[in-house]
Amino acid sequence: MLRFKSFMMAAGAAILITACATSPTGRKQVLLYSDAQLAQSGAQAFSAMKQETPISKKPVTNQYVQCIADKIIAQLGPNADTDEWELVVFESDQVNAFALPGKKIGVYTGLLNVAENQDQVATVIGHEVGHVLAQHGNERMSQSTLIGITQEAVNVALQTNDVAQSGPIMAALGLGAQLGVALPFSRAHESEADLIGLDLMSKAGFDPRQSVNLWQNMNAASGGQRQLEMLSTHPAPETRIKDLQANMGPALAQYNQVSNKPNCRP
């Protein structure tokens, strides 16, 4: 019983020291880690990526992606110094991109085969930068920490009370944590990053309507080979398109106010 109380006290202490925050869309968050910790982790991961993955040496490709990223970064307020951000184009068939705490952006050349124009590339870069702005990495790490503490506390409670089926119960709890907490939170992060990215790209003068075209292209490129939405960390393309269309009015209004539209060419 003493061991169980110790774990419960540890879990309680972790929750008490949790920093409560609000995302750019107004969603409540639990953040346990500092910006400095996340920036250091992001820089280390990015450095490893540059050592493990070939980097594009094509000036035209690099200039094209850098042009788009600079326009997005310019909308970031206090973080709008493009010189502080590092962007690398990686030679890979992956249809993807990412952004990391510490102001790091990576784009795979495979994305440029699916994103047909500057506006569609801006959709993806805006989305990935949105993850950083909303501190989704911090939130996921914090969530994992708290789930781990809670599961260990329950495991101790089961052992202390001699529950015969503690193994199956813990397995079920782990699955429940994934389906009930971790995966829905991940889908919430993706949807939130979509909306932040839509806002950033439209403010930068990229056509927000192309975000819908991008996800139509993504869906076609997948060939329909994807998991059920309930068991996926990402919303289905149809869901993303519906959410983007529902928020298109304000984005289009912002886009139409931009007089000097970007002209980034591959």
Side-chain angles (χ1 to χ4, degrees), residues 27-30 136 139-140 143 178-191 233:
R27 184 176 56 81
K28 297 297 182 183
Q29 297 175 292
V30 173
H136 290 158
E139 192 172 4
R140 284 193 293 267
Q143 173 194 330
Q178 285 296 311
L179 293 181
V181 180
L183 294 186
F185 261 99
S186 295
R187 290 195 294 270
H189 290 167
E190 291 298 321
S191 297
T233 58

Side-chain angles (χ1 to χ4, degrees), residues 89-172:
V89 179
F90 294 100
E91 284 286 354
S92 171
D93 291 335
Q94 289 191 58
V95 183
N96 210 346
F98 62 89
L100 297 172
K103 302 181 178 179
K104 311 294 184 182
I105 299 174
V107 175
Y108 296 107
T109 52
L111 173 67
L112 305 180
N113 297 324
V114 176
E116 298 174 339
N117 52 50
Q118 63 171 8
D119 307 293
Q120 292 184 20
V121 176
T123 298
V124 180
I125 293 178
H127 169 95
E128 297 303 333
V129 170
H131 279 307
V132 175
L133 291 182
Q135 301 192 73
H136 290 158
N138 193 337
E139 192 172 4
R140 284 193 293 267
M141 288 174 60
S142 301
Q143 173 194 330
S144 296
T145 298
L146 293 176
I147 287 175
I149 291 173
T150 303
Q151 288 179 328
E152 183 59 29
V154 173
N155 188 33
V156 173
L158 291 171
Q159 292 176 359
T160 301
N161 290 282
D162 297 322
V163 177
Q165 300 300 320
S166 61
I169 291 172
M170 284 303 298

Side-chain angles (χ1 to χ4, degrees), residues 54-109:
I55 296 174
S56 173
K57 303 298 183 182
K58 299 176 182 177
V60 173
T61 300
N62 281 277
Q63 290 167 12
Y64 172 56
V65 178
Q66 187 71 59
C67 174
I68 297 168
D70 286 348
K71 300 296 184 183
I72 295 291
I73 293 167
Q75 311 308 312
L76 300 184
N79 294 309
D81 187 347
T82 56
D83 291 336
E84 293 182 356
W85 287 76
E86 181 182 4
L87 180 142
V88 173
V89 179
F90 294 100
E91 284 286 354
S92 171
D93 291 335
Q94 289 191 58
V95 183
N96 210 346
F98 62 89
L100 297 172
K103 302 181 178 179
K104 311 294 184 182
I105 299 174
V107 175
Y108 296 107
T109 52

Side-chain angles (χ1 to χ4, degrees), residues 7-21 29-32 142 145-146 149-150:
F7 273 108
M8 290 305 295
M9 288 176 65
I15 294 171
L16 286 174
I17 64 173
T18 295
C20 295
Q29 297 175 292
V30 173
L31 306 177
L32 292 174
S142 301
T145 298
L146 293 176
I149 291 173
T150 303

